[in-house]
């Protein structure tokens, strides 16, 4: 659950929420319906989203070992799942914690940054063809955060 909502509920343990607090809660509830819809769409269409990405990566990197391409695609399947979960919970910190635990180190250790960056670009394009103009802005910040966490030095 979004940290602000959790905070509101904790603060209101011994009182009713103020009108402005109820408004925040209502916006969250309305947004939650849209986020659930996107989450379910991503879950249901994962293969349809990633197959064109996989095909394009194999074409773009014809001399790369199939295992390396497969490994990078698996990374991004997991990353998209983490992005979807973080979007569902509206919790960027969830994404940050998951990605810092393993992905960045794997990408660097396996020297697959070029492939991973291309997958990101292709995935973003593919998502735009599966999500509406109203849906894309809800997942986009999490994708951008994943890119930032994986490809920038800290």
């Amino acid at each position: 659950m979004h940290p602000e909502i959790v905070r509101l509920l904790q603060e209101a343990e011994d009182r009713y929420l103020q009108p402005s607090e109820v408004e925040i809660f209502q916006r969250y509830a309305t947004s939650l319906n849209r986020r659930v819809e996107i989450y379910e769409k991503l879950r249901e269409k994962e293969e349809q989203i990633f197959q064109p990405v996989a095909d394009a990566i194999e074409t773009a990197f014809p001399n790369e070992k199939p295992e390396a391409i497969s490994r990078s695609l698996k990374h991004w399947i997991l990353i998209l799942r983490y992005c979807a979960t973080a979007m569902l919970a509206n919790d960027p910190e969830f994404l940050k914690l998951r990605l810092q635990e393993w992905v960045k180190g794997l990408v660097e250790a396996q020297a697959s940054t070029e492939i991973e960056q291309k997958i990101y670009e292709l995935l973003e394009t593919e998502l735009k063809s599966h999500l509406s103009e109203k849906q894309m802005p809800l997942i986009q910040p999490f994708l951008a955060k994943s890119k930032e966490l994986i490809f920038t030095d800290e």
Side-chain angles (χ1 to χ4, degrees):
M1 186 177 297
H2 191 274
E4 185 177 14
I5 298 300
V6 171
R7 181 189 56 78
L8 281 175
L9 293 174
Q10 289 171 342
E11 288 177 1
E13 283 183 2
D14 60 348
R15 64 174 174 83
Y16 286 107
L17 294 171
Q18 298 298 314
S20 62
E21 295 169 326
V22 171
E23 188 177 307
I24 291 169
F25 207 92
Q26 287 173 329
R27 279 196 314 266
Y28 176 79
T30 300
S31 169
L32 181 59
N33 288 333
R34 291 194 329 255
R35 288 183 277 122
V36 167
E37 180 181 299
I38 295 165
Y39 181 89
E40 289 175 338
K41 185 180 269 190
L42 292 173
R43 183 189 65 212
E44 292 165 9
K45 294 186 175 246
E46 183 178 78
E47 188 175 335
Q48 292 172 302
I49 291 167
F50 274 96
Q51 190 58 57
V53 173
D55 295 343
I57 285 295
E58 289 174 358
T59 302
F61 296 93
N63 298 325
E64 194 63 51
K65 292 179 183 176
E67 300 83 28
I69 290 174
S70 177
R71 186 175 47 242
S72 292
L73 286 165
K74 286 177 186 174
H75 291 164
W76 279 96
I77 288 169
L78 288 172
I79 292 166
L80 182 59
R81 289 174 183 174
Y82 285 146
C83 286
T85 302
M87 178 215 45
L88 184 62
N90 200 13
D91 187 357
E93 195 61 28
F94 170 86
L95 181 65
K96 182 179 177 182
L97 291 171
R98 293 304 180 278
L99 294 183
Q100 285 182 331
E101 286 177 5
W102 63 273
V103 176
K104 184 177 173 118
L106 279 177
V107 170
E108 291 172 351
Q110 296 167 356
S112 58
T113 304
E114 188 178 353
I115 295 171
E116 303 274 347
Q117 287 177 331
K118 186 66 174 174
I119 291 172
Y120 173 85
E121 293 168 14
L122 292 166
L123 176 60
E124 190 173 45
T125 300
E126 196 61 32
L127 286 172
K128 288 176 183 175
S129 72
H130 287 274
L131 299 176
S132 72
E133 288 183 17
K134 289 183 178 183
Q135 292 173 326
M136 195 64 192
L138 290 173
I139 191 74
Q140 180 59 41
F142 297 97
L143 288 170
K145 186 65 173 174
S146 68
K147 180 182 178 185
E148 175 188 325
L149 289 167
I150 294 168
F151 301 122
T152 58
D153 294 325
E154 292 185 355

